[in-house]
Amino acid sequence: DIQMTQSPSTLSASVGDRVTITCRASQSVHTWLAWYQQKPGKAPNLLIYKASSLESGVPSRFSGSGSGTDFTLTISGLQPDDFATYYCQHYSSYHTWTFGQGTKVEIK
Amino acid sequence: QVQLQESGPGLVKPSETLSLSCTVSGGSVSSDNYYWSWIRQTPGKGPEWIGYIYHSGSTNYNPSLKSRVTMSLDTSKNQFSLTMRSMTAADTAIYYCAHGDSYGGNEGAFDIWGHGTMVTVSS
């Protein structure tokens, strides 16, 4: 089974900062990688799919990159609404899905 | 725009069977390109994918849960459902239903989620 490992687990940042979150797969997942934002008491919300494509309606300050085993989610100019937990997720062509353990972005 | 709403019991006794339904509005559960999943999450942890069902009715399950899980479609009610047997305290979690589009650009992701329903396993 493919494992998804995110780092860091927690990140402290200020409004306006550029923030980078990393997700590493235990073996190549090509670009079958998505990113979600989750706020307390809410369901996850899709931000990025296929590693670097921005979901409709998501602000352009969110961007994704990477392929194979190493991926990043970048928030360029952190906004107050962005303090949340972020998850990566891999999709396998065998129709299985695996999520990372999450990165919490906190106010510094 | 597709919307999802989970329903089912909030409390299940150990060893009993959980049955949850997800009602789909704004779209058809049998649309050619749609796939549907159940996903659960315990506080402070990442989501755990439980299973998937395609519009055709074909399924696949998380290997760690496969022996206890069944998913099905009910086209007359425009719903899909989850049955999980032999529940234990470790199954206490928020259960979400989710949608994906295999012909959409965002194939492989879940673009629409229900609000989630809390399920507690306790006697």
Side-chain angles (χ1 to χ4, degrees), chain A residues 4-84:
Chain A
M4 310 301 294
T5 303
Q6 290 182 233
S7 61
S9 297
T10 306
L11 186 161
S12 296
S14 301
V15 172
D17 283 354
R18 178 183 176 93
V19 166
T20 298
I21 298 168
T22 296
C23 179
R24 175 162 288 175
S26 57
Q27 62 189 78
S28 176
V29 298
H30 304 288
T31 56
W32 290 110
L33 194 286
W35 290 96
Y36 298 82
Q37 177 193 69
Q38 187 177 32
K39 296 181 179 178
K42 300 291 187 181
N45 181 51
L46 178 63
L47 300 174
I48 302 286
Y49 60 92
K50 290 182 184 171
S52 60
S53 295
L54 191 68
E55 173 70 355
S56 176
V58 173
S60 58
R61 62 181 180 272
F62 292 94
S63 63
S65 65
S67 65
T69 59
D70 295 312
F71 301 86
T72 59
L73 173 70
T74 300
I75 310 172
S76 301
L78 197 65
Q79 297 299 303
D81 192 48
D82 301 337
F83 291 98

Side-chain angles (χ1 to χ4, degrees), chain B residues 16-18 40 50 68-69 83-85 87 91 95:
Chain B
E16 291 192 343
T17 296
L18 171 68
R40 69 181 182 179
I50 298 171
R68 299 195 290 130
V69 168
T83 299
M84 185 177 290
R85 297 171 289 278
M87 296 285 284
D91 296 313
Y95 286 71

Side-chain angles (χ1 to χ4, degrees), chain B residues 16-31:
Chain B
E16 291 192 343
T17 296
L18 171 68
S19 294
L20 293 177
S21 295
C22 183
T23 299
V24 179
S25 57
S28 172
V29 76
S30 57
S31 288

